[in-house]
Amino acid sequence: MTEPQMTPESFPVPPDRALIHRRAAFSHSSAGLERHYVDEESSEPSQESIRRRMADESLRLIDDLTNRPMDPMFEDARLLPAERRSPLSIWVNRILVFVICVLVGLAGTGIVQVLHRDPRQKVREKLISQVEAVSKRANDLNGQISDLNGNIDTLSGQVSGQGQNSTQIADDLTNGTSKVQGQGIVITLANPIASKDVRDNADQIKLVTDQDLQWFLTKLWSAGAEAIAINGNRIGTQTSVRTAGQTILVGTASIEAPYKIEAIGDQGALSDLMSRSDLQNRLHDLKNANITVNVSKQRRLNLNAVGLPNLSYAGRSH
């Protein structure tokens, strides 16, 4: 009866496949290296083991990975003493990493804000401030011109020794070159109040236009108004009411809603204007567009004079 032969734990490496690099250990720590041995009794395999080895030649890679997972040269690296770091150096490194992460985050946030910022916004704000400053200066100059015109008229009357005649007074009222004070009416036009439904149908909103203001001016002049002003800007013979982009201009001054039309004249005739039957269709259209129209009587209105324009003309050459 033959005893069964034990299969070795690992196949021996043939000389032609032996490792080129040999282990070189020059330290007392070489005793800590792992060792892999092959059973000496199985060093001379029998015929059956040779056949088994030849049959299992394809499993040599699995055997190497299982029994020899580490190259001897890498295994020698474990002989080196492990580097010991002090707790202070560990915490210093952690703090440095945290500070660097915070700085990178702040820098990234600043870059994102710069990229999302519209570079043209500053230019627009600067232009708007310049326009507002010029408009304010123009209004101040117009007020000074009105005061000077009033002083000139007063001094002219004192020099001539007699007051102005009715024709000159009427011309000054029509031209708007003199201040006017008296009773009259005030018509206020307001755009529709913004709401959710209005914002959803923004393309269908009807706003007060320059044509609406011109229509009211025409009707007030026809009703006998002696002087008219829109938002404090006196209407003269050469004062235009027009639209520039989305802004309404009275002369060169821009105005915004609500639009306040002040008219000096007979209160009865001016107030009855709004109840005339031929004007109800236009007022009804404004009401359907949610444009508010309010009319109020005023006992005392003060309208400034409009600045005199620079007139130019062409003449025949002699």
Side-chain angles (χ1 to χ4, degrees):
M1 183 175 181
T2 59
E3 296 181 359
Q5 295 183 358
M6 301 297 294
T7 303
E9 296 180 359
S10 175
F11 296 102
V13 180
D16 56 343
R17 295 190 179 183
L19 296 175
I20 298 176
H21 300 284
R22 300 294 182 180
R23 177 182 289 113
F26 305 98
S27 173
H28 64 278
S29 300
S30 60
L33 294 175
E34 296 181 358
R35 295 176 176 83
H36 302 280
Y37 296 98
V38 180
D39 190 2
E40 294 180 356
E41 296 179 356
S42 60
S43 60
E44 296 180 359
S46 61
Q47 187 68 21
E48 183 179 355
S49 63
I50 293 175
R51 288 196 302 269
R52 178 179 178 83
R53 185 181 66 181
M54 296 300 294
D56 296 340
E57 187 71 21
S58 61
L59 300 178
R60 184 174 297 278
L61 177 60
I62 299 177
D63 177 71
D64 291 340
L65 294 176
T66 304
N67 298 316
R68 304 176 186 84
M70 185 180 295
D71 188 91
M73 297 301 293
F74 288 98
E75 189 176 358
D76 291 343
R78 297 192 302 177
L79 298 176
L80 299 176
E83 182 182 358
R84 295 182 179 180
R85 299 176 57 189
S86 63
L88 178 61
S89 64
I90 294 175
W91 280 105
V92 169
N93 289 338
R94 291 179 180 177
I95 293 174
L96 289 177
V97 171
F98 176 76
V99 172
I100 292 173
C101 292
V102 171
L103 294 178
V104 171
L106 294 177
T109 303
I111 292 173
V112 171
Q113 290 179 352
V114 171
L115 293 177
H116 283 279
R117 187 180 303 167
D118 189 0
R120 296 173 296 179
Q121 183 66 25
K122 291 185 177 180
V123 178
R124 285 196 293 265
E125 292 177 355
K126 184 177 180 180
L127 293 176
I128 290 173
S129 61
Q130 291 178 355
V131 171
E132 291 177 351
V134 172
S135 299
K136 182 179 179 181
R137 186 168 180 271
N139 294 333
D140 295 339
L141 293 177
N142 288 331
Q144 294 177 8
I145 292 173
S146 300
D147 295 338
L148 293 176
N149 288 333
N151 294 334
I152 291 173
D153 294 338
T154 303
L155 295 175
S156 298
Q158 293 176 357
V159 171
S160 60
Q162 58 183 3
Q164 295 178 336
N165 54 32
S166 59
T167 303
Q168 185 177 359
I169 294 175
D171 292 340
D172 291 340
L173 290 176
T174 304
N175 297 329
T177 56
S178 62
K179 293 183 178 180
V180 182
Q181 179 179 341
Q183 62 179 359
I185 65 172
V186 177
I187 302 175
T188 304
L189 303 176
N191 288 326
I193 300 176
S195 61
K196 182 178 179 181
D197 297 336
V198 172
R199 289 193 298 268
D200 294 339
N201 301 321
D203 296 337
Q204 302 178 0
I205 300 176
K206 176 176 174 54
L207 304 178
V208 179
T209 62
D210 56 338
Q211 296 180 357
D212 296 328
L213 297 179
Q214 293 172 4
W215 182 82
F216 277 99
L217 292 179
T218 302
K219 298 305 178 182
L220 289 173
W221 287 124
S222 64
E226 299 176 359
I228 302 176
I230 301 178
N231 286 17
N233 298 280
R234 182 75 176 275
I235 304 298
T237 54
Q238 295 188 356
T239 303
S240 61
V241 179
R242 56 191 176 87
T243 300
Q246 297 181 351
T247 304
I248 297 179
L249 300 179
V250 177
T252 57
S254 61
I255 58 176
E256 297 180 354
Y259 304 101
K260 184 178 179 182
I261 303 176
E262 299 172 309
I264 292 179
D266 186 2
Q267 284 187 347
L270 295 177
S271 59
D272 292 341
L273 173 68
M274 308 306 297
S275 60
R276 286 170 47 179
S277 59
D278 57 338
L279 306 181
Q280 293 303 313
N281 292 334
R282 186 63 175 268
L283 296 176
H284 185 68
D285 294 339
L286 295 176
K287 184 178 180 180
N288 290 337
N290 294 326
I291 295 177
T292 305
V293 180
N294 292 326
V295 181
S296 61
K297 296 181 180 180
Q298 299 291 333
R299 293 184 178 181
R300 189 181 185 86
L301 292 175
N302 294 318
L303 303 183
N304 294 325
V306 66
L308 292 176
N310 295 325
L311 301 179
S312 60
Y313 61 92
R316 295 179 60 183
S317 60
H318 299 286

